[in-house]
Amino acid sequence: MVRFSGLRTAGGRLRHGWRPVLEATAAATVAWLLATRLLGHPQPFFAPAAALIVLGQARGQRIRRAVEVVLGVAAGVLVADLVVQALGPGSTWTVFTVILLTVLLAVAFGATGVTLVQAAVSALYLVVVAPPDGSLVPFRFVDALIGGAVALAASLLVDARHPLAPLVAEVRRTFDELAGLLGEIADAVDHRDETAAVTALTQARGMDARVDGLRNGVLAAGEALRLNVRRRQHIGRLRSVDESIRQIDYAVRNVRVLARAGVTLSRLHVAAPPSEVRAPVPPSEVRAPVPPSEVRAPVPLSEVRAPAPPSGVRPPVPPSEVHAPAAPPEVRAPAAPPELGAALRSLAEAVREAGAALAADLDGQDEAADRHATRADEAALAAVHTAGQLFGSPQTLPLAMIIGQIRATAIDLLRGVNPEDDVAVLARVDEALGLPAV
């Protein structure tokens, strides 16, 4: 079973990762062919190596990282070529000089750790493994440039037709997961299910990774649009989404606090109803203790006579026939106010509609984006209005915290999908909550 489980896991990884594998293989092969056929270099090792190094960087950072890596590899190769031709290959002084000059050159140009390491490793490989053959033409330097150029071209071809498609998919996944999380919190507080509430809290703590995925998706889409001249007009839409992600990050944090308050609320036990609570005895009715002088001595057992039962009264039941009293029924904490679950579900619908609005905006569907944004606005205000009805009922601290987080999440959602200023958003939300206008 363990073996088959491992095979299924490997198969799932291949299904999701076959495209980068194909991209890297094709780019390295094309770089090799260009270096051998175009330049006639018999061993263009650095052409496919540079292509693989660049494609190994995360999308969204490939242009910058590609330039750094290519320059680092190319600088290391160039320095190694020149030093080996001057000092000869294989000597200790050659290795020392090549590494020193390469690192000094990288630091002088403000190279990052990746560029510095790539430059040093490239130079060291050239000195130790494949020393130059004495030619003054720096073939390896050109090979590194070819590999980096091919890698950038491969990145452009992959996202040429739909450069924003990965970001749209990431937006839909993130907002759908956040909406589902709010629905799980609503179910947990409705039934006072502590296990479900803890599970929802764990899931809420993992939503930060989704927000990071959105940020990386924006960087990757921006990179693809800059490489694609024909689609650069979409950069304006991408900037609007980038501004919305900050508000979504705030909303995710609010939901995490809300989930934590839901766990606390699910653990609360209800006190006895007011009708069953006895009032304290007034001091005027408290009897003073009997003085010791008036306390009578107990009657000896031998002189105690059993009283004759009065007529019509049954004799007492023997102890052996006395049954234990029935246990009182188990008292469970009642469900949370129904308005709370309704407010959370309305908020979940607002999150789902906000995600649809952002995705439609990225796809260029302006009418659909406006329609979803209006629905998100209405659902968010409905959630706040429903939560505001709980102000008149007896509240606990977790319940008050949940109401406050519903308000805060609604504000962040409205800021993310509407171009209104902060004052207008706050005024509309507080009006729906029933608070006086500021």
Side-chain angles (χ1 to χ4, degrees):
M1 293 298 293
V2 176
R3 181 181 302 175
F4 289 112
S5 177
L7 291 177
R8 285 194 297 269
T9 302
R13 291 172 180 170
L14 289 176
R15 283 193 301 272
H16 290 87
W18 67 270
R19 190 167 294 179
V21 172
L22 182 61
E23 179 186 10
T25 303
T29 304
V30 170
W32 174 275
L33 290 175
L34 290 177
T36 54
R37 301 295 176 84
L38 185 63
L39 300 179
H41 187 213
Q43 295 179 343
F45 169 80
F46 282 96
L52 293 175
I53 291 171
V54 172
L55 291 177
Q57 303 298 316
R59 291 186 179 274
Q61 302 177 355
R62 284 189 176 180
I63 294 180
R64 178 179 178 181
R65 293 297 186 186
V67 173
E68 291 181 355
V69 170
V70 169
L71 291 179
V73 173
V77 172
L78 180 60
V79 170
D81 268 337
L82 296 177
V83 172
V84 169
Q85 290 178 15
L87 301 180
S91 66
T92 302
W93 282 109
T94 300
V95 174
F96 174 80
T97 305
V98 166
I99 295 179
L100 178 62
L101 293 179
T102 303
V103 174
L104 287 176
L105 182 63
V107 172
F109 282 94
T112 60
V114 175
T115 308
L116 191 149
V117 171
Q118 291 298 335
V121 170
S122 302
L124 187 61
Y125 176 86
L126 186 59
V127 172
V128 177
V129 179
D133 53 5
S135 174
L136 293 177
V137 180
F139 284 111
R140 294 173 177 83
F141 177 80
V142 178
D143 291 342
L145 293 178
I146 290 177
V150 170
L152 291 179
S155 298
L156 175 61
L157 290 176
V158 170
D159 299 327
R161 296 187 60 184
H162 303 288
L164 298 179
L167 177 59
V168 171
E170 188 66 30
V171 167
R172 294 185 184 278
R173 284 194 298 266
T174 301
F175 280 82
D176 288 344
E177 185 172 338
L178 185 60
L181 174 60
L182 286 169
E184 294 178 7
I185 297 174
D187 294 338
V189 298
D190 276 346
H191 302 91
R192 291 288 178 90
D193 190 344
E194 181 180 349
T195 302
V198 172
T199 302
L201 176 59
T202 302
Q203 185 179 354
R205 289 169 175 168
M207 286 299 300
D208 290 336
R210 284 297 187 189
V211 177
D212 293 338
L214 278 179
R215 292 195 180 98
N216 294 333
V218 170
L219 293 176
E223 180 181 81
L225 291 177
R226 293 184 186 93
L227 290 174
N228 195 329
V229 180
R230 297 174 57 186
R231 298 188 180 270
R232 287 185 179 177
Q233 66 271 16
H234 299 306
I235 293 182
R237 291 176 178 170
L238 191 62
R239 290 172 181 169
S240 64
V241 174
D242 190 18
E243 295 174 358
S244 299
I245 290 179
R246 180 172 56 182
Q247 300 299 329
I248 302 309
D249 186 17
Y250 296 154
V252 167
R253 299 180 186 181
N254 293 330
V255 172
R256 184 166 59 245
V257 177
L258 191 153
R260 188 179 297 114
V263 173
T264 306
L265 182 63
S266 65
R267 292 174 177 172
L268 291 180
H269 297 284
V270 172
S275 58
E276 298 182 9
V277 178
R278 296 181 179 179
V281 179
S284 59
E285 298 183 7
V286 177
R287 297 180 179 180
V290 180
S293 58
E294 299 181 8
V295 177
R296 297 180 181 180
V299 180
L301 294 178
S302 59
E303 299 181 5
V304 176
R305 296 180 181 180
S311 59
V313 178
R314 296 182 180 180
V317 181
S320 59
E321 299 181 8
V322 176
H323 298 283
E330 181 181 359
V331 178
R332 295 184 178 181
E339 294 86 357
L340 183 60
L344 291 173
R345 292 182 178 87
S346 296
L347 188 62
E349 183 63 22
V351 170
R352 192 173 288 107
E353 292 294 339
L358 291 179
D361 185 41
L362 288 172
D363 283 335
Q365 303 173 5
D366 295 336
E367 294 183 1
D370 293 339
R371 185 169 60 254
H372 287 296
T374 302
R375 293 175 181 173
D377 186 285
E378 295 174 352
L381 294 179
V384 173
H385 177 71
T386 305
Q389 297 177 4
L390 298 175
F391 273 132
S393 61
Q395 292 185 24
T396 59
L397 178 60
L399 180 59
M401 291 178 62
I402 292 177
I403 296 173
Q405 294 307 316
I406 290 175
R407 172 184 177 273
T409 306
I411 291 174
D412 292 325
L413 283 178
L414 294 181
R415 286 175 175 173
V417 299
N418 290 327
E420 297 177 323
D421 58 0
D422 293 346
V423 176
V425 170
L426 288 174
R428 296 175 62 220
V429 171
D430 288 343
E431 180 182 0
L433 192 61
L435 297 178
V438 179

